[in-house]
Amino acid sequence: MELPVLPIIQKDKWLQPVADKIALRHNNYLKRLAEIKKSSGSLRDYANAYLYFGLHRDDKAKGWWFREWLPGAHNVYIFGDFNNWQRTELPLQKGENGEWHIFLPDEKYKNRIQHKGLYKILVFGNNGLLERIPAYVTRVYEDTCTHNFSAQIWQPKKPFDWKNDHFRRKAAKAPIIYEAHIGMAQEKEGIGSYTEFTQNILPRIKKLGYNTIQLMAIAEHPYYGSFGYHVSNFYAPSSRFGTPEELKELIRTAHEMGIAVIMDLVHSHYIKNFNEGINELDGTDHLYSLPGEQGNQPYWDSKTFDYGKPEVEHFLLSNLKYWLEEFHFDGFRFDGVTSMIYYHHGYIDFDNRDKFFDKGVNEDALKYLTLANTLIHSLNPSAITIAEDVSGMPGMCIPPKDGGIGFDYRLGMAVPDFWIKMLEDIPDEEWNIWDIWNQSLNRLPDVKTIAYAESHDQAMVGDKTIAFRLMDKEMYDKMDRQSQSIVIDRGIALHKMIRLFTISTGGQGYLNFMGNEFGHPEWIDFPREGNGWSYAKARRMWSLADNTLLRYNFLQKFDKAMISLTKKYRLLTNDYAYNLQMDTVNKTMVYTHGGLLFILNWDMEKSIPDYKLPVPEPGRYHIVLNSDDKKFGGFGRTDDTNIYFSFREPDGRDYIRIYNTNRTALILEKMIN
């Protein structure tokens, strides 16, 4: 059979030698999509497993249905406070395809099964007789004394009123993302709540100018210190932050502010725990995973999904619809995509084309991700999806109809790694501005990229934020405005330049982890035995940024001005920056983007009066942003009211002259009149 030549191949000659493999991959997706439509009518109707499995009220039948997929189980029981925790009183019946079910009639349980009631299932399988939490549970409860989790009935009498929430509004073409963690978003030493985030943090994000929030650690996870990446209950928003209604109120309020909310989604692996998670839920090691060692993620001490199994696909696709429909999330950042799409989980060098198409590739995972993107965008055309993929898999951000996987964006993960290497290994005087330029611009034009200088990854224990790498111990006693410190001066200057360069050249979106915009000191360390179960470093000290006597305030003001400029001049929707001049002797780069002229002097010492640089057009230019402005913690060496007149040289090019101060980013705009 001759396979069609897909648009992805027509656009990229580099892929022509593997055109047949891409076509087969695409056909696998189309075949599965056709099967789903034949059996369920549509992909949207297929993704309704959460409406069937789990515990559901049936008013017509006057009772409650409970259903669970447990093909390997020998016996299954449901028990809870509604039957005085009698473990084997209520056996489930086994139906087709490994589905177990029971009906609990009102005549016996009407006044027993109530909102906030607790229950579990007892599963007798090959791994013994174990008390478990159902896979489709939408709420879990943690006993604060024993730290054991139970499933919780969540049926409030009054459903949440979305108040005409227009969550399917037109999404921002250029997401400027504030990555946030609910629990550590408060300044207090403890766990923050959805309500506190709504009241205290949303206004701050709105004021800073970000148009998108990426919420971490939403799906339930028993170990707080996992940052939410060891998920146990995929349909349950974390109870440690509050109720589902409080999360919905957070999202509704964000929408009122014009801010989209995307979820940091973990479909790449799940926790090994028996007490809380889905591992060996039916007594076998291959319910949601492949059997044996291939079902393990050895680098993360967790379990992987078997994406080729229809029931697992059903579980995960329905999970996407659940968060979109029930909570009005505006999209997802898919965590660990590289681990998903390779059996080796990406722990190799991707130094040739064949490694994207050999036996190491998990074709089932790619098929699932393509179906996932198709589903998400059919449910909400304005939703955005972001892939955390370090491998650069071809087609990741190409629409499925063109032969791609369908993500809107991928994370520019090489950029923060580059800045770490520069700050850690290379002295300032040896910085190569061509290396800086090439790293940020090294991306394919049809792969929309979320640029970032650092995220939560760089803020964790064992790593360092950019601010801490730059200023280290000096941050403890030299960040007041009266102190003199060349270390702090350098750190403040480079912190601003690195972020401005990244957002103005690195992609079509931008991401920042909360607090990093003002150089939050130290690292993130969740409560654990090694730190005496302290919350001291699992919080954000906003008072540092708001204190006008401290230099953190300078960085916060600059970030706000940078975001405002980015939005005003639409820098993230103006394709690539254009290089006008690279002065390696004086470490000065000059480029245009969004109709603006950027001059960045990375030199540690040289401030050059009457510095000549090219401009794209003749005319008068004025300053729209100056990182050396005193209000941003600079030295104010340039008068921001200056007007720069162009002049033409014999080479036919137009130039201006400026005072080119060291460690400064200067942005100019051509004046209209």
Side-chain angles (χ1 to χ4, degrees):
M1 180 181 68
E2 186 174 344
L3 297 171
V5 179
L6 296 165
I8 185 177
I9 305 299
Q10 296 170 347
K11 293 178 182 178
D12 191 347
K13 293 182 179 179
W14 186 76
L15 293 175
Q16 288 180 358
V18 291
D20 57 337
K21 294 183 179 180
I22 293 178
L24 282 171
R25 178 180 298 175
H26 182 64
N27 278 2
N28 287 338
Y29 153 72
L30 292 178
K31 180 181 178 182
R32 181 58 187 148
L33 184 60
E35 291 171 351
I36 289 171
K37 289 181 177 179
K38 183 177 180 180
S39 65
S40 303
S42 70
L43 186 58
R44 297 173 63 165
D45 291 331
Y46 173 68
N48 283 332
Y50 66 94
L51 298 175
Y52 179 78
F53 289 106
L55 184 65
H56 294 283
R57 173 73 190 165
D58 187 336
D59 289 329
K60 187 175 181 180
K62 296 183 180 180
W64 297 78
W65 282 102
F66 177 78
R67 304 179 183 93
E68 189 78 9
W69 175 62
L70 301 165
H74 306 311
N75 294 104
V76 183
Y77 307 86
I78 187 170
F79 66 107
D81 50 19
F82 62 87
N83 78 331
N84 296 317
W85 297 95
Q86 297 301 306
R87 299 165 84 217
T88 58
E89 180 184 63
L90 297 170
L92 275 64
Q93 292 183 326
K94 188 174 185 179
E96 296 180 356
N97 301 318
E99 174 202 314
W100 293 77
H101 61 272
I102 189 172
F103 181 70
L104 304 172
D106 283 349
E107 59 188 14
K108 186 173 183 180
Y109 298 100
K110 184 175 182 179
N111 297 319
R112 297 186 185 183
I113 300 178
Q114 296 182 346
H115 177 54
K116 295 187 179 181
L118 304 179
Y119 69 99
K120 287 187 175 184
I121 57 175
L122 183 68
V123 182
F124 176 45
N126 294 341
N127 57 1
L129 188 66
L130 298 174
E131 296 182 3
R132 304 299 299 265
I133 295 176
Y136 285 87
V137 67
T138 57
R139 172 79 173 172
V140 298
Y141 170 82
E142 181 182 8
D143 187 311
T144 55
C145 295
T146 64
H147 298 291
N148 287 326
F149 287 84
S150 297
Q152 187 171 40
I153 300 166
W154 201 257
Q155 293 280 335
K157 292 182 179 180
K158 187 177 180 181
F160 182 80
D161 183 3
W162 281 103
K163 298 178 182 178
N164 298 317
D165 178 53
H166 298 293
F167 74 107
R168 287 190 175 92
R169 72 199 185 290
K170 191 174 183 180
K173 289 185 178 180
I176 305 175
I177 303 170
Y178 202 77
E179 185 184 34
H181 183 283
I182 299 293
M184 59 173 291
Q186 305 304 313
E187 185 146 356
K188 68 181 182 183
E189 292 192 30
I191 299 176
S193 69
Y194 297 124
T195 299
E196 288 173 320
F197 192 94
T198 302
Q199 295 173 347
N200 303 329
I201 310 306
L202 282 183
R204 178 179 292 273
I205 296 171
K206 173 67 175 176
K207 188 175 181 180
L208 287 171
Y210 290 82
N211 59 27
T212 306
I213 300 171
Q214 179 178 302
L215 288 182
M216 307 176 64
I218 293 300
E220 191 62 82
H221 47 290
Y223 178 46
Y224 188 45
S226 75
F227 228 138
Y229 290 116
H230 274 194
V231 174
S232 54
N233 313 105
F234 285 81
Y235 286 84
S238 179
S239 58
R240 61 169 55 86
F241 306 139
T243 68
E245 286 69 36
E246 289 165 347
L247 173 58
K248 292 175 182 179
E249 179 61 24
L250 185 164
I251 296 171
R252 187 191 65 78
T253 305
H255 288 167
E256 285 183 347
M257 294 179 174
I259 300 173
V261 185
I262 62 176
M263 180 178 173
D264 195 345
L265 184 85
V266 184
H267 279 188
S268 49
H269 62 134
Y270 61 90
I271 197 166
K272 285 184 174 180
N273 295 24
F274 282 5
N275 291 331
E276 299 89 11
I278 60 176
N279 186 23
E280 297 190 21
L281 190 58
D282 71 340
T284 71
D285 70 345
H286 54 273
L287 181 62
Y288 286 93
S289 295
L290 290 165
E293 279 303 310
Q294 55 188 338
N296 293 325
Q297 217 300 2
Y299 305 100
W300 298 346
D301 191 31
S302 57
K303 302 291 293 184
T304 60
F305 284 103
D306 180 359
Y307 302 102
K309 187 179 288 186
E311 294 84 358
V312 176
E313 171 197 84
H314 197 204
F315 176 82
L316 294 174
L317 288 175
S318 299
N319 190 234
L320 298 172
K321 185 176 181 180
Y322 171 76
W323 292 113
L324 290 172
E325 296 285 284
E326 299 296 320
F327 288 86
H328 291 199
F329 276 101
D330 300 283
F332 304 97
R333 176 263 200 186
F334 279 69
D335 173 71
V337 168
T338 307
S339 176
M340 295 173 70
I341 62 178
Y342 302 100
Y343 290 112
H344 48 66
H345 307 297
Y347 286 82
I348 64 167
D349 292 327
F350 292 92
D351 50 6
N352 66 70
R353 179 178 47 224
D354 292 341
K355 292 185 179 180
F356 298 114
F357 303 98
D358 62 19
K359 292 181 179 179
V361 176
N362 187 335
E363 299 289 350
D364 288 328
L366 287 171
K367 179 174 60 179
Y368 163 68
L369 289 171
T370 313
L371 289 168
N373 279 295
T374 302
L375 172 66
I376 293 164
H377 293 112
S378 71
L379 290 167
N380 182 0
S382 294
I384 62 172
T385 58
I386 304 168
E388 187 200 34
D389 173 36
V390 71
S391 74
M393 168 63 76
M396 189 63 69
C397 295
I398 300 295
K401 65 181 179 63
D402 294 337
I405 300 163
F407 282 97
D408 297 300
Y409 301 89
R410 69 179 290 267
L411 287 177
M413 300 173 70
V415 173
D417 291 342
F418 170 80
W419 286 120
I420 290 172
K421 180 175 177 59
M422 289 286 286
L423 295 171
E424 192 78 3
D425 301 335
I426 305 175
D428 292 17
E429 62 271 20
E430 295 179 14
W431 281 20
N432 185 321
I433 61 172
W434 274 113
D435 288 345
I436 297 173
W437 177 264
N438 291 332
Q439 179 60 62
S440 195
L441 277 292
N442 184 22
R443 49 191 168 85
L444 295 173
D446 58 353
V447 178
K448 291 195 291 185
T449 301
I450 301 294
Y452 63 107
E454 56 183 342
S455 69
H456 72 274
D457 287 329
Q458 287 73 42
M460 298 294 289
V461 167
D463 208 333
K464 291 183 180 180
T465 63
I466 286 176
F468 207 50
R469 287 181 186 278
L470 287 167
M471 296 176 278
D472 208 78
K473 62 182 180 181
E474 298 276 315
M475 298 182 77
Y476 295 119
D477 56 10
K478 295 294 194 312
M479 285 296 280
D480 64 285
R481 297 193 181 190
Q482 302 304 315
S483 295
Q484 300 296 314
S485 168
I486 59 173
V487 172
I488 298 296
D489 290 342
R490 169 184 179 263
I492 294 288
L494 289 179
H495 193 276
K496 292 178 289 186
M497 292 184 70
I498 287 170
R499 304 176 93 74
L500 178 64
F501 179 73
T502 300
I503 198 172
S504 64
T505 63
Q508 293 80 14
Y510 178 74
L511 178 141
N512 164 68
F513 179 67
M514 63 176 187
N516 284 359
E517 72 277 4
F518 67 82
H520 196 285
E522 296 189 328
W523 49 81
I524 298 166
D525 191 6
F526 282 96
R528 55 187 174 85
E529 186 176 1
N531 64 16
W533 303 103
S534 170
Y535 287 88
K537 291 183 174 65
R539 59 189 178 124
R540 297 285 90 178
M541 293 184 280
W542 306 109
S543 58
L544 298 177
D546 297 338
N547 188 336
T548 56
L549 298 178
L550 298 177
R551 300 193 194 195
Y552 298 103
N553 184 255
F554 290 141
L555 295 179
Q556 180 170 260
K557 285 181 177 178
F558 181 79
D559 192 77
K560 181 180 178 181
M562 179 184 76
I563 297 300
S564 177
L565 177 137
T566 299
K567 292 164 69 175
K568 179 179 178 180
Y569 293 94
R570 301 179 180 177
L571 296 182
L572 298 174
T573 58
N574 271 280
D575 204 18
Y576 283 78
Y578 180 76
N579 194 314
L580 290 177
Q581 176 173 293
M582 296 290 274
D583 179 355
T584 56
V585 174
N586 298 301
K587 298 191 186 303
T588 297
M589 55 175 62
V590 181
Y591 58 93
T592 59
H593 201 197
L596 298 176
L597 180 68
F598 292 76
I599 306 108
L600 275 69
N601 180 347
W602 298 92
D603 198 275
M604 58 187 294
E605 294 178 335
K606 296 176 185 174
S607 294
I608 310 166
D610 209 28
Y611 182 83
K612 186 176 77 170
L613 60 97
V615 292
E617 297 176 354
R620 297 177 301 152
Y621 289 79
H622 71 113
I623 296 172
V624 293
L625 187 63
N626 176 9
S627 71
D628 195 49
D629 194 312
K630 287 186 176 181
K631 67 183 177 184
F632 302 137
F635 294 98
R637 292 168 289 177
T638 299
D639 184 349
D640 286 357
T641 65
N642 284 346
I643 305 297
Y644 301 94
F645 292 83
S646 70
F647 56 91
R648 182 157 293 181
E649 289 282 44
D651 62 6
R653 299 181 70 186
D654 297 296
Y655 295 84
I656 60 172
R657 292 187 181 275
I658 67 166
Y659 181 24
N660 183 20
T661 55
N662 71 307
R663 287 182 179 147
T664 298
L666 201 61
I667 305 177
L668 278 60
E669 179 187 31
K670 182 184 175 183
M671 301 175 70
I672 298 175
N673 297 316

